[in-house]
Amino acid sequence: MILTLLLAQVAADPDIVVRARRTEEALTACIERRCPTPDDARLSIAHAEAQFAQGEYHDARRTLNAALSRQRGNAAQFPRVVAALYEANATVNQHMGDMKIYRTMLIRQNRTLKENLPADDPQVLLTAIQLGDFWSSIGQPFNAREQFEVAAEGYARRGEHRLAALSELRAATIDLHQDNRGSAERRLATVQASPAAADRVVRQMAAVIAARLARARGDEGAVDALLATLRTDPDNPPVLVREVPVIAADAAGAANAVQQRLGGVTLPTYVTASPQIQWADVGFMVRPDGQVAEIEVLRGSRARDWTKPFVDSMRQRQYAPLDLPVGSPGVYRVERLTWRPERIAPTGYLSKQPLGRQGIQILDITNDRTAATPPAA
């Protein structure tokens, strides 16, 4: 996602307030001189990202909405640029809990690209994956699987076997969530017989799917066997293999499903009475054996008690072992946690209110270029 990439640049920047001021000045000057669409979009996204980093989600959305108002008419000439604005806006709305607008932004992003680029353009196919992730996140697996299949077929036609295989494995993940082991096994076999079977990332994700299939068949040692053989290249993000779900002691049975990244798990939520958006950036070290250590809340909303069950869960994660030099402490990661109610328009209200079910959004904002060591104290 656009904001994911931009946030990574400031995850370790202590002076984001100054940065926000600078991006605002640059954007204002750009608008006043009626700068070209690419410059307007780039500066708008940069400013929205700086606002988002400070927890100013509403301001970030206003910045992006204003940019789209100025530039959506230029989609035919600059489809990728306008699509980037829709994508950034989708991310902000997802973290705000406005899932209807999140869906609208993704659909408009997809439409902008499909109407102005070839059907097999890589960005069009990538948008199909993003739509698949969205359908999966709201519990519509059939739509999700259809999008992943579209992406897999499109990439295969282009001869991009690695991306085709990864899309196929995403569909297999949906099959596993639906307990359709037969379909998942067939997809896995297709990937293992594909030209991309030897690719390191494909091989890793295929191994994770195979381990889950084994667990589904009753082999409880499958994950341990996976950990004994699977190692992650330090140039790639660590692969999450096992996560302990969060369940509130005072709200047993509350289980709003939140989909994690490919290979993730369903994470039931910890219920809070606060209708406000709460956010926190959590840093942690993934040690060479895949264990999590040195976890801490780096910054966030003033009230942070709500983070405790999520931090406790993150502490119990198991990543695939890392292929690091002897003596390396591991790799450092930073994740943005946004805890918010879904925004809905209940009976008697003309506008949306933060009164829906509570949910957690997790965004990896690690700057991978400096992830080998934790930030200085």
Side-chain angles (χ1 to χ4, degrees):
M1 300 292 280
I2 294 297
L3 278 172
T4 308
L5 299 175
L6 290 169
L7 265 172
Q9 298 173 9
V10 298
D13 185 355
D15 205 6
I16 55 176
V17 175
V18 173
R19 184 176 183 275
R21 191 180 306 122
R22 290 173 178 168
T23 56
E24 181 178 20
E25 292 171 356
L27 176 58
T28 299
C30 175
I31 294 171
E32 289 176 349
R33 70 174 185 271
R34 297 186 180 182
C35 61
T37 296
D39 291 341
D40 187 325
R42 176 177 55 82
L43 291 170
S44 295
I45 292 173
H47 185 47
E49 177 276 326
Q51 293 171 313
F52 185 93
Q54 296 179 85
E56 297 173 355
Y57 291 14
H58 291 273
D59 290 342
R61 181 165 70 173
R62 278 191 286 270
T63 295
L64 294 167
N65 282 341
L68 281 167
S69 179
R70 294 191 299 272
Q71 302 299 341
R72 65 166 54 95
N74 295 319
Q77 186 178 2
F78 300 102
R80 300 182 196 278
V81 172
V82 174
L85 286 170
Y86 281 126
E87 181 180 0
N89 209 346
T91 300
V92 172
N93 278 283
Q94 181 185 33
H95 280 258
M96 290 180 65
D98 202 328
M99 304 309 288
K100 184 175 181 180
I101 296 183
Y102 168 58
R103 172 187 174 183
T104 298
M105 291 296 107
L106 285 183
I107 290 175
R108 289 180 180 175
Q109 177 199 9
N110 180 259
R111 184 182 303 154
T112 297
L113 294 170
K114 289 181 69 174
E115 289 179 353
N116 297 288
L117 295 174
D120 63 346
D121 184 276
Q123 197 166 352
V124 174
L125 298 174
L126 179 60
T127 304
I129 293 177
Q130 292 170 343
L131 280 174
D133 288 340
F134 166 73
W135 290 121
S136 176
S137 72
I138 63 171
Q140 296 196 25
F142 296 103
N143 288 337
R145 183 164 42 230
E146 180 181 18
Q147 291 296 325
F148 295 145
E149 289 172 347
V150 166
E153 292 170 4
Y155 282 128
R157 285 196 301 270
R158 289 178 56 87
E160 297 187 32
H161 302 296
R162 179 177 184 268
L163 292 172
L166 291 173
S167 300
E168 194 73 50
L169 291 173
R170 271 178 134 84
T173 300
I174 298 295
D175 290 333
L176 283 172
H177 286 320
Q178 292 191 292
D179 199 28
N180 189 346
R181 280 177 274 172
S183 180
E185 287 170 347
R186 287 191 293 273
R187 294 186 195 278
L188 180 61
T190 297
V191 169
Q192 291 173 333
S194 78
D199 178 89
R200 183 161 191 156
V201 175
V202 172
R203 191 170 68 247
Q204 287 177 345
M205 298 315 302
V208 171
I209 296 293
R212 288 182 175 157
L213 280 166
R215 285 187 64 195
R217 290 192 295 266
D219 182 359
E220 293 299 326
V223 172
D224 291 332
L226 171 68
L227 294 176
T229 60
L230 185 63
R231 305 197 73 81
T232 304
D233 188 316
D235 291 334
N236 294 308
V239 176
L240 182 62
V241 176
R242 181 192 291 135
E243 182 159 11
V244 177
V246 179
I247 301 178
D250 61 344
N256 299 338
V258 181
Q259 294 294 331
Q260 299 297 293
R261 63 184 68 84
L262 173 62
V265 298
T266 297
L267 180 65
T269 62
Y270 173 82
V271 176
T272 174
S274 173
Q276 303 301 318
I277 295 174
Q278 306 287 336
W279 66 277
D281 289 342
V282 180
F284 56 94
M285 182 72 77
V286 180
R287 296 205 181 283
D289 63 357
Q291 297 289 323
V292 171
E294 301 175 33
I295 187 167
E296 60 180 335
V297 177
L298 303 173
R299 66 186 183 201
S301 305
R302 182 174 301 176
R304 299 181 186 177
D305 289 347
W306 63 273
T307 64
K308 186 178 185 303
F310 297 108
V311 169
D312 289 344
S313 173
M314 293 167 72
R315 187 175 286 112
Q316 298 177 70
R317 287 179 182 176
Q318 175 65 63
Y319 288 88
L322 303 171
D323 190 6
L324 296 171
V326 175
S328 172
V331 295
Y332 196 77
R333 312 298 298 176
V334 182
E335 293 185 357
R336 164 64 61 91
L337 275 60
T338 303
W339 178 234
R340 81 292 183 273
E342 190 170 338
R343 298 180 67 83
I344 59 174
T347 303
Y349 286 81
L350 296 178
S351 60
K352 293 179 181 178
Q353 304 293 323
L355 301 173
R357 66 179 187 172
Q358 299 285 345
I360 182 78
Q361 292 295 331
I362 301 177
L363 185 67
D364 190 330
I365 61 173
T366 307
N367 184 340
D368 284 307
R369 290 169 296 181
T370 59
T373 57

